[in-house]
Amino acid sequence: MATINFGGVEEQVVTREEFPLEKAREVLANEVIAVIGYGVQGPGQSLNMRDNGFNVIVGQRKGKTYDKAVADGWVPGETLFEIEEALEKGTIICFLLSDAAQIELWPTVKAALKPGKSLYFSHGFGVTYKEKTGIVPPADVDVFLVAPKGSGTSLRRLFVEGKGLNSSFAVYQDASGNARTKAIAMGIGVGSGYLFETDFYKEVTSDLTGERGTLMGAIQGIFAAQYEVLRENGHSPSEAFNETVEELTQSLMPLVAENGMDWMYANCSTTAQRGALDWWKPFHDATKPVFEKLYNSVKSQEQAEISITRNSQSDYREKLEVELAELRESEMWQAGKAVRSLRPERS
């Protein structure tokens, strides 16, 4: 492992240099990697591993998602199977269904976990909250996770571009004495940029906080608040959207990704710099209590309970679509649709 200084704190990480793809292939040479679920993470991870030369099969119920797998090149009866058959054939079971679907399918998965097999997750939810989910792996199987820091769509796109998402990895149960090495090999196989070690509890608490915070929930809230203030003060939808969202996503965040926040500031006008430097601390002070409330809600398992209860309801999909439609049909995101249509590469 490589020792890297992260802002004054040294951490050990795994990169492709000390654990190259060839080594990962050697570690997993005799494994049949069965990806169960072809929804969010399943396509990106399975396709990346397949393209990287691993023995991968997919388990998926027949329907639209099954048809998508066929369109992606998975061959029925050869590399694409019903879930039960894939579970039987696989030696590493990649349990990539949604958290709610994992609870429902767990009895079927557990029955297929014969001694010596491995159970792989990309989220620590099911095992961490085992009192709520009932997901308790048998003692004679390895249990580990690799959690790419992004969507399965991004994982695949970056892989195709020759890049990669960073991922965390963790071992929950090491029955074979080789679980950690297998976890790292899987992380390299799915196309990780670098890997950092965590545990199941820390993975799920940081992930739930991030999704509800800056990655998704908070950013939508901040976008909406600024857009509303601009509109209430006479600015047009086009102007409000450009100054709230478009400039950030298309111009400024790529600079942050390239070389940090100070680099982005340095590439803006002195007026913009002054304003940003004056205002970031008031925003910090205003929002930190909300983040503390959020983290405590995650820590207390309140967020897990909400997720399990709501996402297990029979009409969950219908209710979700109503909530997503509220975003999609709002003036701000309708303005965004128009703005996106006017980007030069789309003309």
Side-chain angles (χ1 to χ4, degrees):
M1 296 182 75
T3 300
I4 306 294
N5 187 309
F6 289 90
V9 178
E10 289 192 344
E11 295 183 38
Q12 289 191 319
V13 302
V14 180
T15 70
R16 300 177 189 181
E17 282 68 37
E18 63 261 24
F19 206 111
L21 181 58
E22 293 74 17
K23 182 176 180 180
R25 290 194 189 111
E26 291 175 8
V27 170
L28 302 177
N30 297 319
E31 306 284 358
V32 177
I33 301 167
V35 173
I36 306 302
Y38 207 72
V40 177
Q41 282 289 336
Q45 292 198 33
S46 60
L47 291 169
N48 290 1
M49 286 190 288
R50 183 183 71 182
D51 290 353
N52 270 334
F54 296 90
N55 185 9
V56 185
I57 62 174
V58 171
Q60 177 61 47
R61 301 277 187 231
K62 289 186 177 178
K64 289 183 179 179
T65 306
Y66 184 96
D67 295 341
K68 180 182 185 302
V70 172
D72 285 343
W74 301 101
V75 181
E78 295 182 17
T79 56
L80 177 61
F81 303 93
E82 288 285 343
I83 287 175
E84 290 78 6
E85 189 171 359
L87 287 169
E88 182 66 29
K89 291 178 178 294
T91 59
I92 297 179
I93 306 302
C94 298
F95 205 13
L96 300 184
L97 295 171
S98 69
D99 295 322
Q102 285 186 11
I103 296 171
E104 182 179 352
L105 192 67
W106 175 244
T108 302
V109 173
K110 185 177 181 180
L113 290 173
K114 308 304 181 186
K117 288 196 175 190
S118 298
L119 180 60
Y120 167 103
F121 293 91
S122 281
H123 191 26
F125 191 101
V127 169
T128 299
Y129 302 124
K130 56 184 179 293
E131 294 84 2
K132 299 179 184 296
T133 65
I135 297 177
V136 180
D140 49 11
V141 300
D142 289 342
V143 183
F144 48 84
L145 68 76
V146 173
K149 299 299 114 181
S151 72
T153 301
S154 299
L155 183 72
R156 180 59 179 170
R157 286 178 180 173
L158 289 170
F159 178 86
V160 171
E161 293 171 6
K163 303 174 184 177
L165 283 176
N166 302 324
S167 301
S168 61
F169 76 97
V171 174
Y172 181 79
Q173 190 166 279
D174 187 6
S176 69
N178 197 38
R180 190 170 183 276
T181 301
K182 284 192 281 189
I184 294 171
M186 288 289 292
I188 297 298
V190 301
S192 301
Y194 76 84
L195 294 151
F196 61 95
E197 194 163 8
T198 186
D199 59 44
F200 273 57
Y201 173 78
K202 288 180 179 176
E203 190 284 326
V204 73
T205 50
S206 62
D207 191 66
L208 292 180
T209 300
E211 290 167 347
R212 286 149 181 76
T214 60
L215 302 179
M216 297 173 68
I219 197 68
Q220 165 61 19
I222 291 171
F223 282 164
Q226 178 170 302
Y227 182 89
E228 289 166 8
V229 168
L230 289 171
R231 289 288 290 125
E232 288 162 4
N233 284 277
H235 299 270
S236 70
S238 176
E239 184 169 53
F241 188 85
N242 272 281
E243 293 294 349
T244 299
V245 179
E246 189 76 352
E247 184 174 348
L248 176 68
T249 60
Q250 299 303 299
S251 173
L252 302 182
M253 289 312 294
L255 292 173
V256 176
E258 179 183 316
N259 207 23
M261 188 66 74
D262 64 310
W263 172 249
M264 185 266 275
Y265 282 16
N267 282 274
C268 294
S269 71
T270 55
T271 301
Q273 291 172 17
R274 183 69 270 143
L277 290 167
D278 287 346
W279 276 93
W280 80 261
K281 290 181 182 178
F283 278 110
H284 167 273
D285 295 344
T287 59
K288 188 174 180 182
V290 181
F291 283 104
E292 289 171 336
K293 180 180 179 180
L294 166 58
Y295 190 83
N296 288 333
S297 181
V298 171
K299 192 175 179 180
S300 70
Q301 301 190 17
E302 179 185 19
Q303 291 302 306
E305 185 64 38
I306 291 171
S307 180
I308 292 169
T309 301
R310 293 187 181 176
N311 296 352
S312 298
Q313 294 173 353
S314 59
D315 59 350
Y316 164 71
R317 292 287 177 186
E318 291 79 6
K319 289 179 177 178
L320 174 65
E321 179 52 36
V322 171
E323 291 182 283
L324 292 177
E326 180 185 355
L327 291 178
R328 183 171 58 249
E329 295 169 7
S330 68
E331 183 190 273
M332 181 174 73
W333 289 111
Q334 286 297 304
K337 182 179 180 181
V339 170
R340 289 192 297 275
S341 73
L342 295 170
R343 289 176 186 166
E345 70 269 19
R346 292 179 179 269
S347 61

